[in-house]
C-alpha cells in the first residue's frame, strides 16, 4: 500500500496519518502474537514450577490471561521488549512489505529499521505489572542524539489487538511537528518540559488491530491509561533512510529494503540476534537513568530529578 500524494501532503501538514484499520492482516500480526503467546505460556509454566503462580489460566484470551497471571506474578511482563526477546516472527515482521511500502512513500527506496523498536505490553492501570506506556508528551526526535535530526524518521504505532479510547489509546498533538524540537527534561523518562507544550488540541486515536498510526519525529505524543481489563499490546517501530544516523549509534539498525543494493538487506535472523547481543553486552550494567543520559542532548543544568 503506497501513500497517495494527498496522504503524503496530509502527513506533512498534520504530522501524522491515522489508519484506524485495514493496513495489516492476520497473516502479518498473527505470527508475532503467536510468538508472544508461546513465550508467555513458557514463562507461566516456569512460574508454576517455581511455586510463584498457582494457576496457568489456559484457555483465557491472551490479553486477559496476562492480567490474570500478573495479579499473582507481575514478573510475567518483564523484559518482553523486542531487544530482549528477539523472536524470529518479529524479525520477519520488521520486514513487512506493507510497512515498508508506507515508509518508502515518505522516505524513498533505501530503508533501514531503526533500533528504537518496541513492543509494549501495557497492563490495566491497577496491575502490579511493569507499565511501559509513555505517560507524558514527548517527541521521538527528543529521545535521540542530534546526529539523527533533519530527516523523516517515520514512527509506526501498531496495535496487536483493538485499542479503544479507554484501553491505553495513543494521543497526538496534531500540528506540533511544526513547532520544532522542544526542550525535554529527563527524569525516569525523556519528556517535553510541560512549559514547552504548544497550546494545540490533542487528538485520541483509537485503532483496531490491522490499523496503525504513522507519525513525524517531531510529533508530540503520549498514551492514555489502560482502563480496560486486558493488556494493551502495541509495537512502535521506526523506519528511516539507510544512509542517515539513527541517533542511537550504539544500537544495531539494519537495512530492510534497498533498490540500489538489495544484497545489503539483512535477512539473516541469527546475525540480527548476534548484533543485539554485541550491542547489549556493554550496556548490561548501566542503570536506566544513566542510559537515558547517553541520548539526552540538553545541557546538564537543564535536567530535573
Ligand atoms: O505506546 C505508548 O504508550 C507510547 C508509544 C510511544 O511513545 C512511541 O510510539 O514513540
Amino acid at each position: 500500500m503506497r501513500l497517495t500524494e494527498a496522504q503524503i501532503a496530509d502527513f506533512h501538514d498534520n504530522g501524522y496519518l491515522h489508519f484506524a484499520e485495514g493496513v495489516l492482516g492476520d497473516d502479518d500480526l498473527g505470527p508475532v502474537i503467536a510468538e508472544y503467546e508461546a513465550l508467555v505460556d513458557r514463562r507461566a509454566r516456569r512460574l508454576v514450577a517455581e511455586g510463584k503462580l498457582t494457576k496457568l489460566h489456559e484457555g483465557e484470551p491472551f490479553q486477559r490471561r496476562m492480567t490474570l497471571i500478573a495479579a499473582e506474578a507481575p514478573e510475567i511482563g518483564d523484559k518482553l521488549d523486542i531487544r530482549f526477546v528477539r523472536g524470529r516472527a518479529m524479525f520477519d515482521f520488521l520486514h513487512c512489505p506493507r510497512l515498508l511500502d508506507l515508509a518508502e512513500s515518505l522516505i524513498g527506496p533505501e530503508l533501514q529499521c531503526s533500533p528504537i523498536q518496541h513492543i509494549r505490553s501495557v497492563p490495566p492501570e491497577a496491575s502490579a505489572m511493569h507499565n511501559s506506556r509513555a505517560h507524558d508528551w514527548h517527541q521521538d526526535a527528543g529521545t535521540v542524539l542530534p546526529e539523527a535530526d533533519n530527516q523523516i524518521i517515520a514512527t509506526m504505532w501498531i496495535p496487536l489487538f483493538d485499542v479503544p479510547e479507554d484501553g491505553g489509546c495513543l494521543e497526538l498533538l496534531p500540528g506540533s511537528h511544526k513547532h520544532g524540537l522542544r526542550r525535554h527534561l529527563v527524569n525516569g523518562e525523556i519528556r517535553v518540559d510541560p512549559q514547552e507544550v504548544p497550546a494545540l488540541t490533542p487528538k485520541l486515536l483509537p485503532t483496531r488491530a490491522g490499523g496503525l498510526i504513522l507519525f513525524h519525529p517531531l510529533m508530540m505524543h503520549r498514551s492514555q491509561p489502560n482502563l480496560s481489563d486486558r493488556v494493551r499490546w502495541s509495537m512502535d517501530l521506526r523506519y528511516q533512510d539507510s544512509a542517515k544516523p539513527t541517533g542511537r549509534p550504539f544500537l544495531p539498525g539494519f537495512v530492510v529494503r534497498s533498490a540500489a543494493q538489495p544484497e545489503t538487506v539483512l535477512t539473516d535472523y541469527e546475525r540480527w540476534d548476534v548484533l543485539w547481543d554485541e550491542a547489549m553486552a556493554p550496556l548490561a550494567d548501566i542503570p536506566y537513568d544513566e542510559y537515558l543520559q547517553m541520548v539526552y542532548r540538553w545541557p546538564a543544568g537543564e535536567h530535573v530529578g
Side-chain angles (χ1 to χ4, degrees):
M1 175 183 159
R2 310 261 161 182
L3 295 174
T4 63
E5 288 304 316
Q7 287 172 317
I8 295 171
D10 259 11
F11 175 85
H12 289 289
D13 214 28
N14 300 315
Y16 73 100
L17 289 171
H18 183 211
F19 301 94
E21 57 192 334
V23 177
L24 301 169
D26 289 345
D27 51 332
D28 299 308
L29 294 174
V32 173
I33 295 171
E35 189 160 83
Y36 273 84
E37 273 175 341
L39 172 64
V40 166
D41 187 62
R42 281 198 302 279
R43 284 191 182 184
R45 285 173 199 283
R46 197 172 59 227
L47 287 165
V48 168
E50 290 168 357
K52 294 177 181 157
L53 182 65
T54 50
K55 222 174 142 199
L56 280 172
H57 301 288
E58 282 176 292
E60 292 285 345
F62 176 48
Q63 291 172 277
R64 177 103 185 101
R65 183 181 186 200
M66 279 279 282
T67 63
L68 295 168
I69 296 171
E72 256 188 291
E75 62 266 48
I76 191 77
D78 291 351
K79 296 207 165 170
L80 289 173
D81 206 354
I82 297 173
R83 68 184 57 193
F84 302 115
V85 174
R86 287 179 240 154
R88 189 180 285 271
M90 179 61 80
F91 179 68
D92 290 343
F93 184 75
L94 298 174
H95 296 79
C96 172
R98 291 178 169 130
L99 300 182
L100 301 189
D101 287 349
L102 292 176
E104 182 169 343
S105 304
L106 293 171
I107 297 159
E110 305 302 317
L111 292 173
Q112 66 170 313
C113 182
S114 161
I116 308 171
Q117 53 192 200
H118 299 291
I119 189 162
R120 298 178 199 258
S121 46
V122 174
E125 274 300 281
S127 169
M129 204 175 114
H130 172 72
N131 193 329
S132 63
R133 89 178 165 90
H135 292 70
D136 299 314
W137 295 115
H138 64 285
Q139 295 164 298
D140 281 356
T143 68
V144 292
L145 295 173
E147 62 168 30
D149 289 352
N150 305 316
Q151 60 173 314
I152 300 290
I153 300 179
T155 299
M156 299 198 194
W157 191 89
I158 305 164
L160 272 60
F161 304 94
D162 296 353
V163 178
E165 281 197 6
D166 62 356
C169 185
L170 199 72
E171 187 174 30
L172 305 186
L173 219 44
S176 55
H177 67 301
K178 291 187 173 162
H179 289 247
L181 178 63
R182 309 312 290 249
R183 189 165 61 112
H184 287 56
L185 306 172
V186 58
N187 185 5
E189 298 178 318
I190 297 177
R191 297 299 174 239
V192 179
D193 178 344
Q195 295 177 0
E196 296 264 333
V197 178
L200 297 166
T201 309
K203 192 165 174 64
L204 281 174
L205 297 175
T207 306
R208 299 182 71 101
L212 61 84
I213 304 164
L214 180 57
F215 60 89
H216 190 281
L218 291 172
M219 170 57 62
M220 271 185 212
H221 61 285
R222 66 180 180 186
S223 58
Q224 286 296 317
N226 178 4
L227 304 177
S228 77
D229 62 354
R230 278 143 211 258
V231 170
R232 187 214 82 186
W233 283 89
S234 63
M235 292 176 266
D236 43 276
L237 311 178
R238 288 154 193 80
Y239 293 96
Q240 62 179 105
D241 188 322
S242 302
K244 298 194 175 150
T246 65
R248 302 256 173 113
F250 44 85
L251 299 180
F254 64 93
V255 176
V256 283
R257 179 174 279 181
S258 173
Q261 290 177 288
E263 70 282 5
T264 59
V265 171
L266 185 69
T267 54
D268 181 346
Y269 165 70
E270 273 82 21
R271 178 76 193 129
W272 181 61
D273 196 30
V274 168
L275 287 173
W276 271 107
D277 264 341
E278 288 170 356
M280 296 284 276
L283 300 174
D285 296 326
I286 298 184
Y288 189 60
D289 278 352
E290 242 173 79
Y291 175 77
L292 291 181
Q293 295 292 344
M294 288 167 63
V295 292
Y296 184 69
R297 62 169 78 196
W298 286 271
E302 297 186 6
H303 298 181
V304 291

